Amino acid sequence: MPPIFLLPGLCVRSRRPAPAPARAPAARRAFSRTAPKLARDKNRNRGVSALHRSGPRQALSVSKEPLPRPVLDPEKRTKFVTDPGHGLWGFFNADRTTLSTPEQDHAHGRAWAVDELRRKSWEELHCLYWVCVKERNRLATQAFERTRLKAGYGDHEAKTRDMAVRWSQRAIKHVLTERFYAWDEARKLARTDPTIDLSQEGDMYQAQDWEDEGDDEDGVKKPATKKGKSKLKPKPKLKPKQEREQEHGLEQKQERKQRTKKNKSKKPDKKQGLVEV
């Protein structure tokens, strides 16, 4: 026998068989991207397409209910009754149309003056202010509708009407500011008056005892005075309204005359070229 160390060289090596040559891929179309020999899935909605109008293969629950059809005949339509006093009608004009004509927007008066509003009460000013707010809301609604429809008319008339309403609101605020300042001054004056109590405990006005009017030795009447204090000056009697207006008119005429005299005295003399003093 040969030596043991020579056995590995004498052994026959087992060779694996050569692999078979790969088959050429099957011819495919250029636009197809699906792999060959793939099993189809079990999707029931496979093949449903909105483009090819291939509907579902099984009936759905919606198909059992008939779809609503529009009512084309106006006599058969349901009539809805709206509240004529609804608050949303404030965004429309008196005719309850979406747009007003330029003639309707132009037919308005002037703005309220401050002198006129000073005679109004607090409730009247409050109501008038909110009437102006509703009017501005209506004008803003119509301006939005004109922009949406691209009407091309009515903008100038609506802006002038809106400006008059804004001036009225400004006058109302001016009157309320004046009344606030008057109330503040009266409150400060009441703090210094001993007959008025602002602590809100009991009556605000505290009446005090006054001595009765009497006659002097000469027969002249004394004014009513407070006990233990100096005499109280009698209140002046108010004159009627017509007399006060006449006196006020006379005072204004006198002031005008004085102004005209001063202006004449300041005019230069044409002959001498000097100013008369």
Side-chain angles (χ1 to χ4, degrees):
M1 289 184 63
I4 299 174
F5 63 89
L6 295 177
L7 290 175
L10 298 174
C11 293
V12 180
R13 296 180 181 178
S14 62
R15 296 181 180 180
R16 296 180 181 178
R23 296 180 180 179
R28 293 183 242 167
R29 295 181 181 178
F31 58 85
S32 179
R33 293 187 179 181
T34 58
K37 296 183 180 180
L38 290 177
R40 300 284 294 182
D41 57 354
K42 297 180 180 181
N43 189 1
R44 295 182 179 180
N45 295 327
R46 177 71 64 187
V48 176
S49 175
L51 297 176
H52 300 287
R53 297 181 180 179
S54 58
R57 298 177 182 178
Q58 55 188 1
L60 300 178
S61 61
V62 180
S63 61
K64 296 181 181 180
E65 298 178 1
L67 295 176
R69 297 181 180 180
V71 180
L72 302 178
D73 190 2
E75 296 181 356
K76 296 181 180 180
R77 294 176 183 175
T78 305
K79 296 182 180 180
F80 296 95
V81 180
T82 58
D83 185 8
H86 199 278
L88 291 178
W89 287 117
F91 291 91
F92 299 91
N93 53 14
D95 299 334
R96 296 183 178 181
T97 56
T98 54
L99 289 178
S100 298
T101 60
E103 291 78 9
Q104 291 176 349
D105 288 339
H106 184 68
H108 64 87
R110 60 174 178 82
W112 283 83
V114 177
D115 297 338
E116 298 171 347
L117 295 174
R118 286 184 180 132
R119 305 172 187 174
K120 303 293 183 181
S121 63
W122 164 255
E123 287 78 10
E124 291 174 345
L125 291 177
H126 182 79
C127 295
L128 182 59
Y129 188 86
W130 284 108
V131 168
C132 295
V133 171
K134 289 177 64 178
E135 184 68 15
R136 292 195 64 192
N137 286 340
R138 185 185 67 82
L139 294 173
T141 304
Q142 293 185 358
F144 181 82
E145 190 68 14
R146 277 193 299 270
T147 304
R148 187 182 67 87
L149 298 175
K150 297 180 181 180
Y153 65 90
D155 291 335
H156 176 70
E157 290 80 7
K159 287 180 180 179
T160 54
R161 189 184 187 96
D162 183 57
M163 186 59 66
V165 176
R166 291 178 64 183
W167 276 106
S168 299
Q169 288 181 314
R170 187 175 298 180
I172 292 171
K173 291 181 180 180
H174 181 83
V175 173
L176 295 177
T177 305
E178 287 181 349
R179 293 184 182 182
F180 171 76
Y181 286 143
W183 171 81
D184 192 25
E185 292 178 0
R187 183 172 57 86
K188 292 178 181 179
L189 185 63
R191 290 178 179 177
T192 59
D193 194 345
T195 61
I196 298 176
D197 184 16
L198 298 177
S199 61
Q200 298 181 357
E201 296 178 0
D203 297 334
M204 182 179 294
Y205 177 71
Q206 298 177 359
Q208 297 184 5
D209 298 334
W210 299 89
E211 293 181 356
D212 297 333
E213 296 180 355
D215 296 339
D216 287 341
E217 296 177 357
D218 300 334
V220 180
K221 289 185 177 181
K222 295 180 180 180
T225 56
K226 190 177 179 180
K227 292 183 179 179
K229 291 190 176 182
S230 60
K231 296 180 180 180
L232 182 68
K233 295 181 179 180
K235 295 182 180 179
K237 294 182 180 180
L238 296 176
K239 296 180 180 180
K241 185 177 180 180
Q242 296 180 354
E243 294 182 3
R244 283 182 288 172
E245 291 179 353
Q246 291 177 359
E247 292 179 358
H248 185 65
L250 293 173
E251 291 177 358
Q252 288 183 348
K253 289 181 180 179
Q254 291 178 359
E255 290 179 358
R256 290 173 186 171
K257 289 181 180 180
Q258 292 178 0
R259 289 175 185 174
T260 52
K261 288 181 180 179
K262 288 181 181 180
N263 293 332
K264 289 180 180 179
S265 62
K266 290 181 181 179
K267 290 182 181 179
D269 191 2
K270 295 182 181 179
K271 296 179 180 180
Q272 299 179 1
L274 299 175
V275 178
E276 295 182 0
V277 182

